[in-house]
Amino acid sequence: MIFMGSSNEDKNQQKSQLKRVWVHGPIIVGAGPSGLAVSACLSKKGVPSLILEKSDCIASLWQHKTYDRLKLHLPKHFCELPLMDFPQNFPKYPTKQQFISYIESYAAHFSIEPRFKQGVQMAKFDSSSGFWRVQTQDCEYISRWLIVATGENAEPIIPEIFGMEKFQGPVVHTSNYKSACHFKNQRVLVIGCGNSGMEVSLDLCRHNAYPHMVVRNTVHVLPREMFGFSTFGIAMTLLKWLPLRLVDKVLLLISNFILGNTDQLGLRRPKTGPLELKNATGKTPVLDVGALSQIKAGKIKVMEGVREITRNGAKFVDGQEKDFDSIILATGYKSNVPSWLKSCDFFTEQGMPKTPFPNGWKGENRLYTVGFTRRGLLGTASDAVKIAQVIADQWTTKDPKGCNFSSVVILPGKS
């Protein structure tokens, strides 16, 4: 249930132009899988919520900023949101469109209706009233609870590379890349060797382009499956019985048997194991879906770090210089929480909870976070269930005290 009104006492000219909205339940920022998951779990507990979403649709990252060939990297049962399974007829690794259809069905099933085109400009806890105040371009929303669900991948990372402004060809971040059909017969520099960089390079190969993939740092490459079982599934099973570092050794032993020595291909492994590194830094190992065979065949060229971008290409740290028609930045994403969540020291400057997993979902003053575990959709589901339980325990249907509205309009809400 939502109450709407405007304050007579607000003398600030900018704020006076904002509609003031009392949200009779938590405010959730972000209508991606994380926001939808926690909203569904709250609904199951009888707690209404309101999702604010800056774009015009749910799961906007999946709908607008992913490439066409994308599939889930993990088997579907590791990627399900709480309270609803994937359809049985979906393949083991659902496609982008299948995942979007699942998300849309999920929102419809739980009657989740976000407020779209409501980009949060500022959120701040008002200690004098004990409520969160969340400002968008035309509204100020007020609630006892704030749930940050914008996630780890809110904005693309655009690296500063010397000379980039000189390059005459197109420079595209993977958030704007759809298919290699636009790059046929081109020499393409792909900066970044994570899962996106590998898959984009593979896509370029299959459209008769000539990708050169820049590997700036060490990287773990694992087969997506080992002996017919998902690598992630094997890891999760082994972790029930063995120490993490021993599981890492097992994974690397099998990976070297299946893939060979990746160091010889220019893909140097870190000294820290893949799972330990993931837990410590959030850096995800690459799950190979075919790019490695193209590297071995010489169709994807592995390059060392870029020293400088030139008018027609790039100079590399090993002294090589090559011409390119296009540059694709597979440099990942980052959190945007510090840009709008104010007077709160729960997050780092990088927009991640300071408290490590598994306790990074709960802050002070009824602040919660979902989708910041560095453990994908599995972590999202875990956080959503915990948050819903805690808020349900706090839930009261009594009207708030101390909110001074000149008029109140009751809007239809979820029961």
Side-chain angles (χ1 to χ4, degrees), residues 305-329:
V306 174
R307 180 164 62 86
E308 177 185 355
I309 299 297
T310 64
R311 182 182 177 89
N312 298 311
K315 295 179 181 178
F316 298 90
V317 293
D318 61 359
Q320 292 189 70
E321 181 174 359
K322 292 181 179 293
D323 291 345
F324 295 101
D325 301 298
S326 301
I327 297 175
I328 296 174
L329 302 176

Side-chain angles (χ1 to χ4, degrees), residues 147-328:
I147 301 174
V148 179
T150 47
E152 306 158 12
N153 302 314
E155 294 181 358
I157 296 173
I158 309 296
E160 293 184 6
I161 301 176
F162 184 76
M164 185 68 83
E165 71 283 355
K166 300 176 186 175
F167 187 66
Q168 287 192 316
V171 179
V172 181
H173 189 273
T174 48
S175 59
N176 293 314
Y177 173 95
K178 296 301 177 187
S179 169
C181 65
H182 306 294
F183 299 89
K184 285 183 178 180
N185 301 315
Q186 290 190 19
R187 292 170 59 86
V188 183
L189 180 64
V190 180
I191 299 178
C193 64
N195 281 298
S196 294
M198 289 280 194
E199 288 200 32
V200 166
S201 296
L202 179 61
D203 196 30
L204 289 165
C205 275
R206 292 176 175 173
H207 285 80
N208 298 317
Y210 306 97
H212 291 62
M213 184 177 66
V214 173
V215 180
R216 295 171 291 175
N217 301 303
T218 56
V219 59
H220 277 300
V221 182
L222 307 176
R224 185 170 67 172
E225 294 194 341
M226 296 177 171
F227 312 119
F229 299 95
S230 84
T231 298
F232 184 78
I234 291 173
M236 292 301 99
T237 301
L238 291 176
L239 284 172
K240 295 178 182 179
W241 308 101
L242 301 174
L244 182 143
R245 290 188 176 180
L246 184 55
V247 174
D248 270 341
K249 289 182 178 180
V250 172
L251 294 180
L252 291 176
L253 185 66
I254 299 173
S255 294
N256 289 338
F257 173 75
I258 295 173
L259 302 177
N261 185 357
T262 60
D263 286 29
Q264 297 176 354
L265 303 174
L267 302 169
R268 295 176 294 110
R269 289 195 183 278
K271 293 181 179 179
T272 306
L275 298 182
E276 185 179 1
L277 189 67
K278 172 70 173 172
N279 288 348
T281 68
K283 187 175 182 181
T284 303
V286 173
L287 296 177
D288 180 54
V289 293
L292 213 59
S293 65
Q294 299 300 313
I295 293 173
K296 292 176 180 177
K299 294 183 179 180
I300 298 175
K301 304 292 185 183
V302 174
M303 309 299 296
E304 292 190 34
V306 174
R307 180 164 62 86
E308 177 185 355
I309 299 297
T310 64
R311 182 182 177 89
N312 298 311
K315 295 179 181 178
F316 298 90
V317 293
D318 61 359
Q320 292 189 70
E321 181 174 359
K322 292 181 179 293
D323 291 345
F324 295 101
D325 301 298
S326 301
I327 297 175
I328 296 174

Side-chain angles (χ1 to χ4, degrees), residues 9-26:
E9 299 179 358
D10 193 343
K11 303 302 181 182
N12 183 287
Q13 185 174 4
Q14 181 180 2
K15 285 190 177 181
S16 67
Q17 297 173 352
L18 299 176
K19 289 186 293 186
R20 300 187 70 194
V21 181
W22 167 254
V23 181
H24 201 54

Side-chain angles (χ1 to χ4, degrees), residues 138-154:
D138 54 15
C139 288
E140 182 182 45
Y141 298 89
I142 303 170
S143 173
R144 292 178 62 199
W145 302 272
L146 177 64
I147 301 174
V148 179
T150 47
E152 306 158 12
N153 302 314

